[in-house]
Amino acid sequence: MSLNELENAVVQLPEADLAAFARWFEEYMADEWDRRIEADALTGRLDKAGKQADEDFDAGRCTPL
């Protein structure tokens, strides 16, 4: 299925199905984000950022949320 075909199918969904699809897709994208972060962590791509965050915290350069 092409992107264009998918878009056409989505716009034709009844309101209730569209709402269910939107919930599913939001959860799918959140899970995909988690998988990417996990993969980046496992390969060490986040090590530099983590080290910088630790240094900033230790130096008092962080503010409470």
Side-chain angles (χ1 to χ4, degrees), residues 22-41:
R23 284 189 300 275
W24 172 84
F25 190 69
E26 185 175 343
E27 185 175 314
Y28 173 81
M29 292 303 294
D31 290 343
E32 180 63 21
W33 173 263
D34 290 344
R35 285 188 291 274
R36 289 180 185 183
I37 293 294
E38 184 177 346
D40 286 347

Side-chain angles (χ1 to χ4, degrees), residues 1-13:
M1 175 179 279
S2 71
L3 178 57
N4 191 39
E5 291 170 323
L6 180 58
E7 289 172 347
N8 288 332
V10 169
V11 299
Q12 294 179 32
L13 288 172

